[in-house]
Amino acid sequence: MTRKLVSKKELKSIYGVPYSFAHIARLEGAGQFPKRLKLGACRVAWVAEEVETWIEERIANRAQT
């Protein structure tokens, strides 16, 4: 199974997540955004499939309200 990782920059540029990195960290801490993976001392990423699922959940919630 191949998994794609998403960088901080790609969260905004590819997936259109409009939040600051500080807000993303707050959402992660509250369990409202996928957890990041620590790749190295100064590098983190997210699993693309988890980010896509999070986006789909937001869209589904919009349809319910």
Side-chain angles (χ1 to χ4, degrees), residues 8-20:
K8 286 181 181 179
K9 185 177 180 181
E10 290 173 326
L11 281 177
K12 287 187 179 194
S13 66
I14 294 175
Y15 291 97
V17 176
Y19 302 133
S20 70

Side-chain angles (χ1 to χ4, degrees), residues 19-53:
Y19 302 133
S20 70
F21 300 131
H23 188 62
I24 290 170
R26 285 191 293 272
L27 290 173
E28 284 177 298
Q32 298 176 356
F33 194 81
K35 296 283 185 185
R36 65 184 73 197
L37 301 170
K38 187 171 182 178
L39 302 177
C42 298
R43 180 71 67 183
V44 297
W46 291 262
V47 177
E49 183 179 340
E50 293 174 1
V51 173
E52 292 165 3
T53 299

